Amino acid sequence: MTLKPDHLIFLDIEASGLGPDSWPIEVGLAWIVDQAVQTWSSLIRPEPDWDPDAWSDQSAIIHNIPREDLDAAPKAIDVAHEVMERIAARHVISDAPGSDRMWMQRIFEAIDIVPPAFMHIDKVVASACNGDRNTVRRVLAQLEEEPRPHRAGADAARLAAAILYGMKMGRRADGTSR
């Protein structure tokens, strides 16, 4: 896969919990423009049919998002439209594609659209590093060591920054420039 940074968008979702009935509480996107990371994020007001018992006080503490903050957040339908505009014609990258796609499906139910397939960050890192295994290991190790803010926009930006680092390291590994 040839990487074109302007065709990539990095996604992270924070949720009410980790169970099968959990629902998204925040979505964050990050993308690369002129070797810089740009971000957008939004809290999400729970839909009336989302199970209130799926709310986890422990998750609220981890994300530092109290349940009450979601009452004034944008509706899922508005967030869905905004996300669709921003991800259009881009490859969606996540470090937890299974969970993130499940929660994105909940958001997209409001506009009756199925989200696109998500790519795992590891695959994109390998491409950014031109397949050089040592470089891939260094980039993934740095990504793991970097603190996770547990806020969707910042977590998505963390993924995009790893790709920028991987592209820089990949150029060094093969001696080329992009």
Side-chain angles (χ1 to χ4, degrees):
M1 167 175 70
T2 301
L3 278 182
K4 293 185 178 185
D6 58 332
H7 291 163
L8 305 176
I9 194 152
F10 303 85
L11 176 135
D12 188 73
I13 295 178
E14 305 304 340
S16 65
L18 296 176
D21 293 333
S22 63
W23 31 269
I25 63 172
E26 184 180 43
V27 62
L29 300 171
W31 57 96
I32 300 167
V33 177
D34 297 328
Q35 300 296 306
V37 176
Q38 307 290 314
T39 62
W40 170 88
S41 65
S42 178
L43 293 176
I44 304 160
R45 184 182 319 165
E47 290 290 304
D49 63 338
W50 292 355
D51 183 1
D53 292 334
W55 179 258
S56 162
D57 290 332
Q58 183 179 8
S59 289
I61 291 168
I62 290 169
H63 305 309
N64 195 26
I65 301 172
R67 171 63 187 86
E68 304 78 48
D69 286 3
L70 303 178
D71 292 336
K75 294 179 182 179
I77 191 168
D78 297 327
V79 174
H81 284 296
E82 184 74 22
V83 169
M84 274 305 297
E85 260 184 54
R86 291 178 183 273
I87 69 172
R90 292 183 175 178
H91 299 286
V92 181
I93 317 302
S94 168
D95 62 351
S99 299
D100 285 342
R101 191 162 190 282
M102 174 189 76
W103 292 316
M104 186 56 68
Q105 283 178 295
R106 287 203 181 247
I107 298 168
F108 279 14
E109 284 172 358
I111 58 174
D112 201 28
I113 291 179
V114 175
F118 291 3
M119 294 174 62
H120 197 284
I121 187 69
D122 292 359
K123 182 176 181 180
V124 181
V125 166
S127 179
C129 298
N130 294 316
D132 181 88
R133 289 181 183 158
N134 290 328
T135 305
V136 169
R137 279 193 287 272
R138 282 200 320 256
V139 171
L140 292 176
Q142 179 180 340
L143 184 61
E144 274 305 307
E145 291 170 9
E146 196 173 310
R148 291 183 180 176
H150 294 289
R151 289 304 299 257
D155 286 346
R158 183 177 150 273
L159 300 177
I163 294 304
L164 280 176
Y165 177 68
M167 292 172 78
K168 178 181 174 184
M169 297 304 293
R171 285 192 294 267
R172 287 184 186 167
D174 74 1
T176 63
S177 62
R178 294 181 197 185

